[in-house]
Amino acid sequence: MEPRIIKTEEHYRYFRREVEKLAVLDPDPESAQGVRLELLAKLVEDYETVRFAFAKPDPIDAILFRMEQQGLRQKDIAPMLGGKNRASEVLSRKRSLTLPMIRALYEKLDIPPGLLIREPPARYQVKRASNRHLSGSRRRHGR
């Protein structure tokens, strides 16, 4: 099969097998097989990047994950977040991280700043008026 942009799982598996076969041969990069290996590997890599993309965690999830990895408790990171109360507020998502907190978390826990400066996803709640309220409003306004 001629190399082309991978759009299906079937093509992905086929080209991946081709890459594996060619890689074992370890062809010279300038040879026809070497050029084909490079092209197929790029196509497979591009497909995997799009198909198997992982969502980045929000800042608090990143902190909680690192705490779990290192066996830390809230009291252990409280100094980095400005004290026990602030740590509680941050971890419960009631307070945003500040720049000094982000620096401390990066320096002491090695959490990438790019994860810490992300805004957590917004949570919206829509309040609906009751039917009784709407019907009374319509009567008052002549509707």
Side-chain angles (χ1 to χ4, degrees):
M1 182 183 296
E2 285 300 311
R4 60 177 177 218
I5 294 176
I6 302 172
K7 296 179 182 176
T8 67
E9 188 71 24
E10 180 184 342
H11 287 155
Y12 167 69
R13 285 192 305 268
Y14 174 81
F15 287 130
R16 188 162 161 214
R17 281 192 304 272
E18 286 291 308
V19 167
E20 290 168 0
K21 288 177 194 174
L22 289 169
V24 170
L25 300 174
D26 192 24
D28 180 286
E30 301 303 318
S31 70
Q33 287 182 325
V35 170
R36 182 174 173 81
L37 173 59
E38 182 180 24
L39 176 59
L40 293 178
K42 179 67 176 149
L43 292 171
V44 167
E45 178 186 20
D46 289 351
Y47 180 82
E48 290 174 345
T49 300
V50 171
R51 179 81 161 89
F52 305 114
F54 293 100
K56 291 181 181 176
D58 81 347
I60 305 309
D61 288 337
I63 295 168
L64 294 171
F65 177 75
R66 186 56 50 101
M67 288 172 63
E68 184 179 322
Q69 275 186 322
Q70 297 183 1
L72 301 173
R73 297 189 335 222
Q74 185 172 316
K75 73 175 191 166
D76 300 321
I77 69 161
M80 294 174 234
L81 300 177
K84 199 168 63 169
N85 291 337
R86 284 245 165 82
S88 176
E89 292 171 347
V90 167
L91 293 177
S92 65
R93 294 177 165 81
K94 292 179 181 173
R95 179 183 288 270
S96 296
L97 292 168
T98 63
L99 187 56
M101 291 175 189
I102 291 169
R103 280 191 189 115
L105 291 164
Y106 169 64
E107 291 170 4
K108 294 186 172 72
L109 298 181
D110 200 30
I111 301 174
L115 289 179
L116 296 171
I117 60 172
R118 294 182 70 228
E119 288 290 327
R123 294 185 172 99
Y124 298 101
Q125 285 187 332
V126 177
K127 287 189 174 184
R128 292 198 163 169
S130 67
N131 287 339
R132 185 170 45 202
H133 173 75
L134 287 176
S135 62
S137 173
R138 286 184 190 133
R139 275 185 252 147
R140 279 194 297 269
H141 298 291
R143 292 184 193 141

